[in-house]
Amino acid sequence: MDTLKCISNVFRSADVIPIDDNSKLILMSDVHRGDGSWADDLYRNENVYYAALTHYFNEGYTYIELGDGDELWKNKKMAEIVPVHLKTFKLLTQFYHSGRLYFIYGNHDMVKSHPNFVQKNMVQYVDEHSQKITPLFENIKIHEGLVLNHTRLEQKIFLIHGHQASNLDYDFWALRRWLVRYVWKHLESLGFNDPTSTAINYRKKVSIEEKLTEWTILEKQMLIAGHTHRPMFPQVGEPPYFNDGSCVHPYSITGIEIADSKLTLVKWEINTRTDGTLFIDREVLAGPQRLKDYFDSLYKSQLND
């Protein structure tokens, strides 16, 4: 399927979330919550991720996860993941119960696009050791894309994972899942990396970024994605393709904040004070930049056409 057409189809069918000048949102993706083994990519950043989520919950932010939240290529079901990251899932359920949680699925958790999987794995989970049932996200809906509609500015921001820009990642995800689960997962323990992984393969990463950028130019529409694991924050006047990065960078996580109608790319990591004590630090990588500036630039490009 034509990748640009695929992205447009998701955009046109996506649920719309109204936002305004008082809205506060944090966008993160590619968390890859795993089973706690050496193959769990989040494990080394678990404390940083939890601290960031706690900050955003206490500050009244809405958490939107742009896909690949759970590593469901290497793992078959949520019951392998939830007990390991139970503290995090309890916090996510607090976001959900307060009406401040949205999940988008990516290629590594594409099974969340199936209602039966969501019903069996996302509503509650059963601990296989204690056989205790723990409620999670009752009546949760997992999205392929979402649209933020700024009611005052009367402009939209499209949110998507981004794997739709690659036929290999979108149409053949089941084959790639089989390869990762039964081949590359074991080879990684010997030091080999999956050469087809977007996060690792530089040429594949660039190709997807080019497709997503091309879509923003074609549709004259702001887009925020994940998938490539590479943060992107364009200047005003450039094609408005943004990327929130990932939560599996070496020793840090990144995300995009939307607050006061401004965008900010941030990094969270463990840092050291002068007295030698450790703390979890938030660093601004880019921004804050007004949404209006990007929307005005899009409007000017429409007039030029």
Side-chain angles (χ1 to χ4, degrees), residues 48-77:
V48 176
Y49 176 65
Y50 182 78
L53 282 189
T54 300
H55 165 81
Y56 290 121
F57 181 80
N58 292 337
E59 292 298 315
Y61 278 73
T62 293
Y63 176 69
I64 303 181
E65 195 167 84
L66 304 187
D68 285 4
D70 297 298
E71 180 49 71
L72 291 166
W73 279 10
K74 298 175 183 176
N75 308 289
K76 294 181 179 180
K77 49 191 175 181

Side-chain angles (χ1 to χ4, degrees), residues 5-31:
K5 182 178 180 181
C6 177
I7 297 170
S8 293
N9 288 342
V10 178
F11 173 61
R12 287 167 181 38
S13 61
D15 287 346
V16 177
I17 302 172
I19 64 172
D20 56 31
D21 294 331
N22 297 315
S23 298
K24 295 193 291 186
L25 306 97
I26 174 62
L27 314 179
M28 290 183 176
S29 72
D30 300 277
V31 185

